């Protein structure tokens, strides 16, 4: 039942945080922080006690699992399960949740209780997405993420928050509806073959589907996940949502919600529809490379600090899309590492962007410059995470991008070469961010306080994680490896049956 508690603690704490605002604004913050800390401890304990199970490679061998009937008539159950892949992303969710609460400590001063209610509910939805093994339940959690995130942007966002929130809602809701249609279609096909109504992931694996139908169903899933990833050309909601969201919202959006799209491709879109996915793989990989180059080019052209980081996310998640559809062990391991590394590095950059905006009341880098002497801690930490973003060896992003390019090289040399150009682009926009913000002349005469000790402590932990995964990535790779091998075995087995 630990999985149910991991999820339920957060919405319960969210309601308590909302109610506790009457006692003062500190109560919701501490309640949210305590709930996420308890969950993180439970998640780490699960990781430490599951070392033996991580060696298992069967797709039905879970580190933890709970399966309770919910709507038996339609074969729907509260089926949650945890393997190495889910565990890593769940730990990332809880850690970045703590970072989002901490980053919002002084920024959010109105409706503090309701803010933390929405933060905890969206995090509960993300955890549910990473654990759900019933497709109907997965869709429920997918939608649970949507409304709280919409409210975070529309209520506590910046100047154009209403526009950004509505755009985010329309794009993600449209993708979710396409996925729902595909889920129902898959369940109906399975029912016609077996006379069993079910939405169980393991039972739906290997369902025999006509090739044309399989392609359309796969595209329904792909559309939902590509919107959330986001992939070009359905990415246009992302820069606005990232830019206008409050700091905590940007951390959750970039660090976690984008990863739900990548996870969905890994767990559902490809294993459920292996033949269609492998047929579509060259197109998906090309979309990934386009995203890498396009995101880098547009990031280079930005003057808004947060908008630059937002476009860089399109480039980084382009690497993830490329690695997933390359579908070999090295590329998949790189995709998982890139998901984790991007969550930490980009989450930190959004925290730093929020700190700058709180002090300067602007995100325009043309008005900055010369800040290093005024805020040396902020400048040095921003330099560190900018180096992580451009893929500096010794940091986690480098491991992810290197493995993705290595795996892609075995699949398509031209696409691997083209994606490498994106790393050069990352170096350009990352160095431009540092130069425009912290070097040159302080023409505006900025004199603002540097980062506080709690902020330095939080960002210091994120720096340590980047270094740990960059210098010693094996524990992370060992944790993800059995799950990735299982997914590959599912796809390879389905393709073998189809070939026969």
């Amino acid at each position: 039942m630990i999985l149910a508690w991991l999820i339920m603690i957060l919405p319960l704490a969210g309601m308590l945080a909302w109610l506790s605002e009457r006692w003062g604004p500190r109560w919701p913050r501490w309640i949210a922080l305590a709930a996420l800390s308890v969950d993180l401890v439970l998640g780490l304990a699960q990781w430490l006690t599951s070392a033996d199970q991580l060696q298992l490679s069967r797709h039905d061998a879970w580190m933890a699992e709970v399966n309770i009937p919910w709507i038996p008539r339609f074969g729907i159950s509260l089926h949650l399960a945890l393997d190495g892949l889910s565990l890593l992303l769940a730990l990332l969710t809880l850690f970045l949740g703590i970072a989002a609460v901490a980053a919002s400590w002084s920024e959010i001063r109105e409706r503090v209780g309701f803010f933390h209610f929405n933060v905890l509910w969206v995090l509960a939805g993300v955890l549910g997405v990473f654990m759900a093994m019933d497709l109907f339940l997965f869709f429920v959690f997918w939608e649970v993420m949507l409304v709280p995130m919409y409210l975070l942007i529309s209520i506590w966002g910046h100047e154009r928050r209403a526009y950004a929130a509505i755009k985010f809602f329309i794009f993600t809701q449209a993708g979710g509806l396409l996925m729902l249609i595909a889920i129902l279609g898959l369940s109906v096909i399975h029912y016609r073959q077996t006379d069993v109504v079910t939405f169980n992931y393991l039972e739906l694996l290997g369902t025999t589907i006509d090739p044309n139908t399989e392609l359309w169903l796969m595209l329904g899933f792909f559309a939902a996940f590509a919107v959330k990833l986001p992939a070009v050309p359905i990415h246009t909601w992302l820069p606005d949502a990232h830019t206008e969201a409050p700091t905590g919202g940007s951390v959750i959006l970039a660090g976690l919600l984008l990863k739900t799209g990548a996870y969905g491709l890994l767990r559902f879109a490809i294993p459920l529809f292996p033949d269609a996915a492998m047929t579509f793989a060259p197109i998906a990989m090309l979309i990934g490379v386009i995203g890498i180059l396009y995101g880098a080019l547009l990031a280079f052209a930005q003057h808004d600090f947060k908008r630059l980081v937002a476009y860089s996310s399109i480039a980084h998640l382009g690497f993830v899309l490329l690695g997933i559809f390359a579908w070999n062990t090295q590329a998949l391991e790189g995709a998982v590492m890139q998901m984790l590394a991007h969550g930490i590095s980009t989450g930190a950059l959004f925290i730093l962007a929020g700190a700058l905006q709180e002090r300067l009341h602007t995100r325009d880098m043309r008005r900055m410059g010369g800040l290093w002497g005024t805020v040396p801690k902020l400048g040095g930490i921003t330099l560190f995470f900018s180096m992580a973003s451009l893929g500096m060896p010794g940091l986690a992003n480098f491991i992810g991008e290197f493995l993705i390019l290595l795996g892609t090289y075995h699949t398509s040399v031209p696409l691997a070469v083209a994606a490498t150009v994106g790393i050069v682009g990352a170096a350009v926009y990352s160095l431009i961010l540092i130069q425009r913000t912290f070097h040159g002349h302080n023409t505006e005469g900025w004199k603002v306080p540097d980062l506080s000790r709690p902020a330095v402590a939080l960002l210091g932990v994120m720096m340590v994680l980047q270094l740990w995964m960059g210098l010693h990535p094996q524990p992370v790779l060992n944790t993800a490896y059995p799950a990735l091998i299982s997914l590959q075995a599912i796809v390879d087995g389905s393709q073998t049956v189809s070939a026969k």
Side-chain angles (χ1 to χ4, degrees), residues 69-90:
W70 183 18
I71 311 176
R73 180 178 179 182
F74 297 108
I76 298 171
S77 61
L78 299 173
H79 188 185
L80 303 171
L82 196 72
D83 61 6
L85 174 61
S86 302
L87 175 63
L88 290 172
L89 293 171

Side-chain angles (χ1 to χ4, degrees), residues 62-315:
W62 303 103
M63 297 163 57
E65 184 177 11
V66 59
N67 192 355
I68 303 171
W70 183 18
I71 311 176
R73 180 178 179 182
F74 297 108
I76 298 171
S77 61
L78 299 173
H79 188 185
L80 303 171
L82 196 72
D83 61 6
L85 174 61
S86 302
L87 175 63
L88 290 172
L89 293 171
L91 292 175
L92 178 70
T93 300
L94 297 169
F95 175 74
L96 289 183
I98 292 172
V101 171
S104 306
W105 205 271
S106 60
E107 179 184 351
I108 303 301
R109 300 179 181 180
E110 298 179 355
R111 306 180 71 178
V112 178
F114 190 49
F115 174 85
H116 289 88
F117 169 85
N118 283 288
V119 166
L120 292 174
W121 273 76
V122 72
L123 293 173
V126 173
L127 282 180
V129 164
F130 292 146
M131 297 181 192
M133 287 294 111
D134 181 282
L135 291 186
F136 185 86
L137 180 64
F138 173 80
F139 177 76
V140 170
F141 282 123
W142 187 266
E143 293 299 300
V144 165
M145 297 186 300
L146 179 58
V147 174
M149 194 70 237
Y150 168 83
L151 293 173
L152 287 174
I153 299 171
S154 63
I155 297 176
W156 295 276
H158 302 301
E159 298 84 6
R160 301 175 70 238
R161 57 184 179 270
Y163 168 79
I166 292 172
K167 194 172 183 181
F168 161 77
F169 186 89
I170 291 173
F171 270 79
T172 51
Q173 184 69 7
L177 289 175
L178 290 175
M179 180 173 66
L180 177 60
I181 293 170
I183 290 172
L184 294 174
L186 177 61
S187 181
V188 168
I189 291 171
H190 182 83
Y191 170 73
R192 289 176 177 174
Q193 294 176 5
T194 64
D195 288 331
V196 175
V197 179
T198 184
F199 289 87
N200 186 287
Y201 170 73
L202 299 176
E203 293 180 18
L204 292 174
L205 286 172
T207 302
T208 304
I209 310 174
D210 173 78
N212 289 332
T213 304
E214 182 181 359
L215 178 61
W216 283 108
L217 293 178
M218 189 279 297
L219 289 176
F221 277 80
F222 180 82
F225 301 143
V227 167
K228 197 64 71 75
L229 194 64
V232 177
I234 47 180
H235 68 285
T236 56
W237 64 269
L238 180 135
D240 294 309
H242 275 338
T243 303
E244 302 304 327
T247 301
S250 293
V251 171
I252 294 171
L253 194 57
L256 300 174
L257 262 68
L258 306 190
K259 308 310 179 298
T260 61
Y263 173 82
L265 292 172
L266 268 172
R267 178 72 75 189
F268 297 103
I270 297 178
L272 287 171
F273 313 105
D275 295 325
M278 292 301 103
T279 301
F280 186 71
I283 299 174
M285 293 173 69
L286 179 61
I287 293 172
V289 171
I290 292 172
I292 293 169
L293 301 177
Y294 178 81
L297 180 63
L298 288 188
F300 168 78
Q302 301 306 310
H303 299 295
D304 186 306
F305 191 116
K306 288 185 75 174
R307 206 168 183 86
L308 186 153
V309 179
Y311 276 111
S312 76
S313 294
I314 296 173

